[in-house]
Amino acid sequence: MTTGKINVSVENIFPLIKKFLYSDHEIFLRELISNGTDATLKLKHLISIGEAKVEFGNPVIEIKIDKEGKKIHIIDQGLGMTADEVEKYINQVAFSGAEEFLDKYKDSAKDSGIIGHFGLGFYSAFMVAEKVEIITKSYKDEPAAHWTCDGSPEFTLEPADKTSRGTEIILHIAEDSLEFLEDSKISGLLNKYNKFMPVPIKFGTRTETLPKPEDAPEDYVNETFEVDNIINNPNPAWTKQPTELSDEDYKNFYRELYPMQFEDPLFHIHLNVDYPFNLTGILYFPKLGSDMQIQKDKIQLYQNQVYVTDNVEGIVPEFLTMLKGVIDSPDIPLNVSRSGLQADGAVKKISNYITRKVADKLKALFNENRADFEAKWNDIKIVLEYGMLSEDKFYEKAGAFVLYPTVDETYFTLEELKEKLKENQTDKDGKLVVLYAGNKDAQHSYIETAKEKGYEVLLLDSPIISHLIQKIEGDNKDVTFVRVDSDHIDNLIKKDENTISKLSDEEKETLKTSLESYIPKAYSVQLQAMDSQAAPFIITQPEFMRRMKEMSQSGGGGMFGMGNMPEMYNLVVNTNSDLASSILNTEDKTHQEHLVKQALDLAKLSQNLLKGEALTAFVKRSFEMIK
């Protein structure tokens, strides 16, 4: 037996590991299983290049819990270690076995899936264990070794009687970590971190029942038997080529990732790149609608099939964090505990690649089956609109597939829209006016008025639409977006013709004074000569003020406190209407007031603004008037 001190540069590294290196104690299991996976994949590689003359077999990594003995066993059937290798790799912390292996075999081992960055992973065991044992036998014809350490720098190393190849790590669980002796806890961790590890992982057994034969007698008892409980899928969909997978395979993998998601995704994007960095993965577009809700099931980040985090900020462009799926890359620079991303040029390249790949896929889907793309538009638009706002590279490509639906459910790209509207919706100054509604029901009367003029009205109802149209207008100087209820239709698209008013300037002044004595201060009264058949009172919301307020409420907008400003409305009064003449010529002030309030309430009703006490008063007044 030999004893010695572990070669570290501080008196005792274990408290430092426990306190600072790993923020989350539960990852000890991920690290130790990762080491077992490395050992298994290394052996497979050495056999494939003829350096190891042994049978690979069907190795598994096994996790066993000994609750009474307060121990966890992690057993692999990988290449094992000699006593000299234990001395080197375990006691000399500065060395990483995986890194040295990769360096030695870097050309042929590039694709063998070995985690090479984390030589300190083994020491995470001391976060939960008061003592750790390693019993290991190398694939080489050398005696087995038994290493023991109680978390101090002292260790013992002696021969062992293990005869089978591989390594067994025994953790003597500390009193403050006894929760890790519960089957449910370990099962949860295996499902979180090791669900897609490339080597089968066994945790206990499960009972399977043979199906009943068709010709079995009535008293036949189904035969049951015990099988290994393999908790992982070593060959998940993202490790395969897209040509190997059907649409159903992609949907099944989505269900495997998110067992609590009951709706199928709308479509998927398979990522597969090997230059200038390695990255694979599958992103799914779930049904989103118009809500920018907090994501419950996030994109999962893996490194060589080892789960790292679901915080993919920086790697995935922000607008795509509303998607679901998996990204796996050995090139993502993480800190030693794999809990944080390190600033790196590769990260920006990965983010740019994902943006480009998503844009290309969306364009292909649009071109391949436009009708299907249009049918899914309302479920994906919020992601794409957010992408146009936040990523210039995505914005550049978006013109090819981003859609602008009308209230009649026809869909145009921006260029198609310009072509469609230019003849009828260009104003006298040569500007193309794009009319839109935010709510089909609330703005119904305004939409109908516009349609009577032969105008198209878009339905743009996402919470960030004000920001987006501001950006589009900035890039298209000859186009302006105007909500259909922001003024009378003749003012929205000003043509050369002018309607003559029936009332003189003096009569208009008298009418305005009368109106303002009954109209609340929240309304700015404007008199306008319109067609005599047009509505006598129309409530509008100024486009600029409303848009700034909306932008302020959804973040940005450039005007401090705009979101808290009270609502401001214009009351447009048609001076050519019979009602305007009646109000002007009525000498009975009470009757005049009734007329004004009734007309205002009717205008408010058409804008969905009449509520509560005002609605009750309106109904009562209406009944009085028809008695």
Side-chain angles (χ1 to χ4, degrees), residues 138-197:
S138 172
Y139 71 97
K140 300 168 188 170
D141 188 20
E142 291 198 32
H146 183 185
W147 179 91
T148 308
C149 178
D150 65 0
S152 68
E154 280 81 28
F155 69 89
T156 63
L157 182 59
E158 57 189 337
D161 55 9
K162 180 174 168 65
T163 55
S164 58
R165 178 191 74 218
T167 299
E168 177 174 3
I169 295 171
I170 304 166
L171 309 180
H172 296 260
I173 300 300
E175 287 300 316
D176 64 357
S177 298
L178 297 179
E179 63 185 292
F180 294 108
L181 294 170
E182 299 297 332
D183 278 14
S184 58
K185 180 72 174 176
I186 295 300
S187 185
L189 294 182
L190 291 171
N191 191 53
K192 178 177 179 180
Y193 291 110
N194 307 103
K195 196 173 177 178
F196 300 111
M197 294 283 276

Side-chain angles (χ1 to χ4, degrees), residues 1-3 81-84 86-87 90-91 131-137 143-149 155-162 166-170 172:
M1 182 173 88
T2 61
T3 62
M81 289 181 283
T82 64
D84 286 347
V86 172
E87 171 72 41
I90 301 300
N91 297 337
K131 183 168 88 169
V132 178
E133 298 178 68
I134 301 173
I135 303 167
T136 183
K137 177 160 173 51
H146 183 185
W147 179 91
T148 308
C149 178
F155 69 89
T156 63
L157 182 59
E158 57 189 337
D161 55 9
K162 180 174 168 65
T167 299
E168 177 174 3
I169 295 171
I170 304 166
H172 296 260

Side-chain angles (χ1 to χ4, degrees), residues 195-207:
K195 196 173 177 178
F196 300 111
M197 294 283 276
V199 177
I201 298 165
K202 176 187 173 186
F203 182 50
T205 58
R206 56 188 169 82
T207 303

Side-chain angles (χ1 to χ4, degrees), residues 17 23 33 74 111 163 165 191 220 229 287 399 416 440 468 586 603 612:
I17 287 171
S23 56
I33 292 175
I74 295 137
D111 302 316
T163 55
R165 178 191 74 218
N191 191 53
Y220 177 84
N229 182 37
K287 282 192 173 184
E416 290 168 348
K440 215 156 119 174
L468 183 60
T586 298

Side-chain angles (χ1 to χ4, degrees), residues 309-427:
T309 182
D310 60 7
N311 178 13
V312 291
E313 190 180 340
I315 301 159
V316 174
E318 190 183 353
F319 77 100
L320 293 177
T321 56
M322 288 184 270
L323 304 189
K324 294 180 168 69
V326 165
I327 287 171
D328 189 334
S329 175
D331 295 333
I332 292 171
L334 301 166
N335 61 22
V336 76
S337 69
R338 307 192 219 208
S339 60
L341 193 67
Q342 294 178 332
D344 190 278
V347 173
K348 189 62 189 161
K349 284 180 187 165
I350 288 170
S351 179
N352 288 342
Y353 165 77
I354 292 171
T355 299
R356 191 175 76 247
K357 183 77 176 175
V358 168
D360 291 345
K361 174 71 174 182
L362 289 165
K363 184 179 177 182
L365 287 166
F366 175 81
N367 290 335
E368 286 162 18
N369 190 341
R370 176 162 178 166
D372 183 60
F373 194 83
E374 288 179 358
K376 291 171 178 171
W377 177 254
N378 281 329
D379 290 310
I380 63 171
K381 64 185 177 188
I382 192 75
V383 177
L384 275 53
E385 289 169 355
Y386 188 29
M388 289 173 75
L389 277 173
S390 58
E391 291 284 334
D392 288 341
K393 284 185 168 60
F394 187 76
Y395 181 82
E396 286 165 19
K397 289 176 171 275
F401 52 80
V402 163
L403 293 171
Y404 301 84
T406 70
V407 289
D408 298 319
E409 296 181 14
T410 53
Y411 294 81
F412 299 100
T413 64
L414 188 59
E415 289 310 309
E416 290 168 348
L417 192 65
K418 287 180 183 178
E419 189 61 33
K420 170 80 175 169
L421 305 187
K422 70 179 181 185
E423 190 174 332
N424 204 26
Q425 288 182 221
T426 302
D427 68 12

Side-chain angles (χ1 to χ4, degrees), residues 110-123:
K110 191 171 63 177
D111 302 316
S112 58
I114 292 145
I115 302 155
H117 306 302
F118 308 109
L120 288 172
F122 166 73
Y123 287 94

